[in-house]
Amino acid sequence: MAEAMLELVGVTAGYGRTMVLFDVDLSVPKGGGAAIMGHNGAGKTTLLRVAVGLLPVRSGKVLL
């Protein structure tokens, strides 16, 4: 398996008392890409905010 450029391991995050992401695992290999798709309110923006450090994780790790 290729070395990961971005990896989320067991990430749980949200806003205040409202949790949006629950135990998310994601790996994007170096030189690769990912598409994030889903219905409105599915957590796409929250996932990206966590990945770039704009929103802290409640549990889990974000590795760059």
Side-chain angles (χ1 to χ4, degrees), residues 8-58:
L8 279 66
V9 181
V11 170
T12 298
Y15 303 94
R17 292 183 167 187
T18 304
M19 290 295 98
V20 178
L21 304 176
F22 300 92
D23 198 29
V24 174
D25 293 324
L26 172 72
S27 182
V28 179
K30 282 189 178 181
I36 302 187
M37 300 169 59
H39 296 286
N40 290 346
K44 300 176 299 292
T45 300
T46 302
L47 179 68
L48 293 173
R49 286 181 178 181
V50 165
V52 300
L54 293 176
L55 185 65
V57 296
R58 294 285 172 97

Side-chain angles (χ1 to χ4, degrees), residues 1-6 27-34:
M1 186 169 162
E3 186 179 355
M5 168 178 56
L6 169 67
S27 182
V28 179
K30 282 189 178 181

